[in-house]
Amino acid sequence: MDRFEIRGGNRLAGRLTIKGSKNAALPMMAAGLLTDQPFVLRDIPDLADINNMVRLLGELGCQVSRQSADDIESPGGVFTLRAVDESISHARYDIVRTMRASICVLGPMLARRGYARVSLPGGCSIGERPVDIHLRGLSALGADITLDQGDIIARVPKVHGKPGRLKGTRVFLGGPFGSTVLGTANVMSAATLAEGTTVIECAACEPEIVDLANLLNAMGAKITGQGSPRITIEGVKELGAVDHRIIADRIEAGTYMCAAAITAGDITLDNCPVDALMAHMDRLHHMGVTMQWDAKADPMRASCRITATRGLKPIEVTTQPHPGFPTDLQAQLMAVLCLAEGNSVITERIFTERFLHVAELSRMGAQLYRQGSTVIVSGVRKLTPAPVMASDLRASASLILAGLAAEGPGPTVINRVYHLDRGYEKMELRLQSLGAEVQRISERDEATLAPGVA
Ligand code: EPZ
């Protein structure tokens, strides 16, 4: 297992191009199952989760290829897919357990093939993560859904012995924590091929859903209202070929904004989706971070300069569905607030247990007091290096940010960075290009360095 060693204290400066969005890419790759025509996505990042999805789609009868971009400054590579054998419709536990987003294949496979068997994803380190709303939505469209040996089995009932279609209807996708992003992706994708009109109420408004709807429309779907809580889908009989460039990754961009903030740095992000980051940028602005971009540029692909000085101000922040502050940036902002001048309050309202980074940040000298889904962050003058353990994707990023600012003897050692590789492409190289002292130590390197080993 790889680990990172970071010697903190450097002020980061320079320029980076934001990669294509992981969370847009995953449901969009699954949407390739909705057609047997050529399907091309551009700006696909080189990440472990993307590789898992490529493998899964290969197992589901698709010819898939992924060409990665060699240049670390490119926003990503090209993914192509063609469904050639539509009879293999089982997403096995072996793959689903490595990546929960495998659930995205359920809606497309069901709508196009009339049958899908998808292993029920288990919980993960950020919480329980049920998929009941996905299933409720698909059954409202007429699917028969049962559970067998841990697998969801979804079928479109036959009509007089012939393959049937899902039926458009009004579907409510709200749950105890608001809407569901991947649930909206599943139901919206399935409804494109349903008979009649589907109206999704309490749909997720995330930019990744807007991009998915735009992709589906480019394939011939008739979707309106994406980006609002009511999405209308007029079903069509089939979808065709597409070549689509995906949006930039707002969470990667938000993380590098935090890197500028925590190191009192000066970083310019190209291909930066400022329009999708307003809540995060509002919080950074209140902390005293300066962000500048050209108001005439495409607000989803702007060049944004982030500059910060020491002595950031404390703030309050509550995670919410988009356009509120994203849960996927909570851990990273917490790392920055550890060094603010005063007490901050962070409340997590999407995944109320998503706080595994709290104990690890405390090992680096952070003063954090958790009560239920709220953490009081009492700013300290400095963080100190320590060995820490990454527990999930965004928690890993948070520890790296803390490591960039930690000052003292010895490095910060972050173990289990495989979590990071699920969502941040070549983060160590990107941080090095900004002046950070970060090394990836892999087990292979250690075997070579060990005495007596050739
Ligand atoms: C997506 O997960 C993202 N994953 C997550 O990103 C992100 O944290 C999350 O949305 C919230 O923004 C991908 O896009 C691949 P949800 P998703 O369904 O869709 C509850 C990252 O770090 N819920 O919107 O699975 C759920 O428990 C990740 O990149 C139900 O109760 O999340 C949570 O409290 C991790 N029943 C809330 O809704 C359901 O059927 C929102 O979850 C579904 C969800």
Side-chain angles (χ1 to χ4, degrees):
M1 264 183 265
D2 292 3
R3 62 173 196 269
F4 274 14
E5 288 189 5
I6 307 180
R7 283 174 199 279
N10 292 3
R11 186 168 183 250
L12 299 197
R15 206 167 188 121
L16 278 185
T17 303
I18 295 304
K19 301 278 176 187
S21 158
K22 164 183 90 79
N23 287 349
L26 294 170
M28 287 166 100
M29 290 165 78
L33 292 163
L34 285 163
T35 179
D36 59 1
Q37 296 302 301
F39 181 88
V40 181
L41 295 176
R42 296 179 191 273
D43 284 6
I44 297 293
D46 189 3
L47 301 169
D49 273 9
I50 299 290
N51 293 338
N52 282 329
M53 187 57 96
V54 167
R55 206 171 113 224
L56 173 60
L57 292 166
E59 283 203 5
L60 296 175
C62 302
Q63 281 175 350
V64 269
S65 74
R66 195 176 65 78
Q67 187 199 321
S68 48
D70 293 334
D71 175 6
I72 64 162
E73 275 313 303
S74 150
V78 182
F79 167 79
T80 64
L81 174 147
R82 187 130 193 201
V84 285
D85 180 352
E86 297 186 316
S87 65
I88 320 161
S89 300
H90 185 187
R92 295 177 308 111
Y93 180 61
D94 273 0
I95 297 194
V96 176
R97 76 186 168 81
T98 60
M99 185 187 58
R100 296 191 87 266
S102 309
I103 191 72
C104 297
V105 300
L106 180 63
M109 219 158 37
L110 174 70
R112 163 93 192 169
R113 303 178 179 187
Y115 173 81
R117 181 174 188 128
V118 179
S119 179
L120 189 63
C124 75
S125 51
I126 67 174
E128 211 176 297
R129 305 192 71 187
V131 292
D132 55 311
I133 308 174
H134 301 228
L135 303 187
R136 197 171 76 202
L138 295 173
S139 30
L141 294 178
D144 273 343
I145 298 189
T146 50
L147 201 63
D148 180 38
Q149 296 178 34
D151 290 346
I152 302 160
I153 304 205
R155 278 196 181 82
V156 180
K158 294 203 165 149
V159 180
H160 308 303
K162 298 211 177 108
R165 283 172 73 190
L166 294 169
K167 302 264 182 306
T169 186
R170 190 173 285 266
V171 193
F172 180 75
L173 290 187
F177 303 98
S179 190
T180 154
V181 179
L182 294 182
T184 302
N186 253 329
V187 175
M188 181 172 76
S189 300
T192 57
L193 293 179
E195 217 175 317
T197 303
T198 301
V199 179
I200 303 179
E201 302 284 5
C202 201
C205 303
E206 272 64 6
E208 293 77 18
I209 293 295
V210 175
D211 203 26
L212 174 64
N214 293 344
L215 167 91
L216 293 168
N217 282 343
M219 294 167 78
K222 293 188 175 160
I223 304 175
T224 51
Q226 60 270 36
S228 80
R230 177 182 290 161
I231 298 179
T232 304
I233 307 123
E234 242 181 85
V236 295
K237 282 209 165 129
E238 56 183 20
L239 297 177
V242 76
D243 187 331
H244 181 85
R245 181 181 183 201
I246 69 169
I247 53 169
D249 196 315
R250 63 190 168 109
I251 306 302
E252 190 197 38
T255 303
Y256 286 110
M257 287 178 175
C258 288
I262 203 166
T263 64
D266 181 354
I267 299 177
T268 299
L269 300 175
D270 294 321
N271 198 34
C272 180
V274 288
D275 213 33
L277 275 164
M278 286 302 162
H280 183 57
M281 292 167 69
D282 172 73
R283 294 296 76 198
L284 289 174
H285 170 72
H286 278 86
M287 290 163 68
V289 177
T290 305
M291 286 148 292
Q292 294 162 287
W293 68 99
D294 178 0
K296 290 199 211 98
D298 176 351
M300 288 299 279
R301 301 198 184 276
S303 289
C304 180
R305 181 174 178 194
I306 305 105
T307 43
T309 50
R310 305 247 173 247
L312 295 175
K313 296 191 214 59
I315 51 155
E316 280 184 35
V317 61
T318 300
T319 67
Q320 287 171 325
H322 191 76
F325 185 88
T327 172
D328 291 347
L329 284 169
Q330 176 256 111
Q332 299 90 314
L333 196 69
M334 186 183 295
V336 184
L337 290 173
C338 288
L339 290 171
E341 289 184 341
N343 293 337
S344 299
V345 184
I346 300 184
T347 303
E348 175 57 66
R349 291 229 190 279
I350 308 291
F351 295 111
T352 48
E353 295 299 315
R354 195 177 199 177
F355 284 125
L356 289 174
H357 42 286
V358 167
E360 302 301 308
L361 288 171
S362 304
R363 291 176 49 73
M364 299 179 70
Q367 295 285 320
L368 303 168
Y369 308 94
R370 179 179 167 195
Q371 283 226 319
S373 57
T374 295
V375 174
I376 312 285
V377 185
S378 183
V380 291
R381 288 195 46 215
K382 68 174 200 165
L383 293 170
T384 47
V388 287
M389 190 77 81
S391 54
D392 78 68
L393 168 58
R394 308 304 171 188
S396 318
S398 147
L399 298 176
I400 287 168
L401 291 168
L404 292 172
E407 291 172 72
T412 295
V413 179
I414 299 163
N415 293 293
R416 299 197 178 175
V417 288
Y418 63 86
H419 289 290
L420 188 83
D421 296 333
R422 293 185 44 212
Y424 293 91
E425 186 179 328
K426 301 188 182 76
M427 194 177 196
E428 71 282 22
L429 301 184
R430 285 159 79 69
L431 288 172
Q432 281 166 14
S433 78
L434 298 171
E437 282 183 56
V438 187
Q439 298 300 331
R440 177 187 289 262
I441 315 281
S442 65
E443 271 177 358
R444 213 168 6 133
D445 300 339
E446 279 186 323
T448 320
L449 292 173
V453 178

